Amino acid sequence: MIETVYQLVTRNMEGVYAGRTALRWYDEQRQAVVEKRYGDYAREIRCAVTSLREKIPDLVGRNICILSGNNYSYAVNVFALMLAGAVVVPLNQNKSWDELEYELDLIQPAAVLWDGGDYPYREDLVRRMAGRTATVRSASRRGRSVSGAAALCWGIIRTPRPRPR
């Protein structure tokens, strides 16, 4: 039974539109245009949902921050979080640590996902959330990510559940 628009869209990706191009971008490392079909995109979204639910069991309705550039893994993980019922909170990677820390205090996220980017305040973020880390993985073939070695492997920083108000 379809309960959300995200489930409906994902089923259409897997069925009606599976062979059509969903996303296209230029990969600087490969120096080539890369395309993802809807079927592959949906499979990687579902795998990310499974991984997120394993790592954050109380995911539904919780604030999950994302710290990332504009890339394919962002597209997969944002959709996966919405499909899993989380509240997606994008963080601005151009803000100072003081601004980001203030926002984190206001948001009280259950977790912070980051794309492995080398942001100026990354060490501060890791220090703040010390001991609460995990990884999100996409669909894989023989232990390798479908889109490359770690393209969809994001860090998760768990935060303690806030006290009821």
Side-chain angles (χ1 to χ4, degrees):
M1 172 180 238
I2 296 173
E3 297 175 7
T4 70
V5 68
Y6 303 107
Q7 291 172 334
L8 177 63
V9 170
T10 306
R11 286 197 182 155
N12 280 332
M13 285 182 200
E14 293 167 327
V16 179
Y17 303 113
R20 293 186 186 174
T21 301
L23 299 157
R24 181 179 293 135
W25 69 94
Y26 181 74
D27 185 325
E28 290 184 22
Q29 286 183 325
R30 296 185 203 170
Q31 294 187 343
V33 173
V34 178
E35 291 185 347
K36 280 291 180 177
R37 306 256 180 234
Y38 277 106
D40 296 329
Y41 182 42
R43 184 172 34 262
E44 291 178 2
I45 289 167
R46 289 196 185 279
C47 186
V49 168
T50 300
S51 182
L52 285 162
R53 285 181 175 156
E54 288 171 359
K55 306 297 181 185
I56 311 169
D58 52 351
L59 186 61
V60 176
R62 300 293 305 281
N63 294 331
I64 308 296
C65 292
I66 295 188
L67 180 61
S68 171
N70 186 11
N71 54 41
Y72 178 68
S73 58
Y74 180 86
V76 169
N77 286 300
V78 166
F79 199 108
L81 285 167
M82 290 186 284
L83 187 60
V87 177
V88 179
V89 184
L91 297 175
N92 184 336
Q93 66 267 24
N94 296 320
K95 290 192 174 183
S96 70
W97 171 245
D98 289 339
E99 292 170 314
L100 185 63
E101 189 171 37
Y102 174 74
E103 288 181 13
L104 290 170
D105 287 340
L106 290 176
I107 295 164
Q108 293 295 310
V112 177
L113 277 68
W114 85 91
D115 63 359
D118 191 21
Y119 303 111
Y121 46 74
R122 182 177 175 176
E123 294 302 317
D124 294 317
L125 182 62
V126 171
R127 194 175 315 106
R128 175 185 166 126
M129 312 291 186
R132 296 182 293 269
T133 61
T135 340
V136 181
R137 297 209 179 269
S138 70
S140 62
R141 293 183 190 145
R142 296 184 192 149
R144 292 189 190 148
S145 168
V146 173
S147 348
L152 300 178
C153 186
W154 282 25
I156 299 179
I157 303 173
R158 288 293 311 261
T159 57
R161 181 180 269 285
R163 294 185 186 128
R165 294 179 185 160

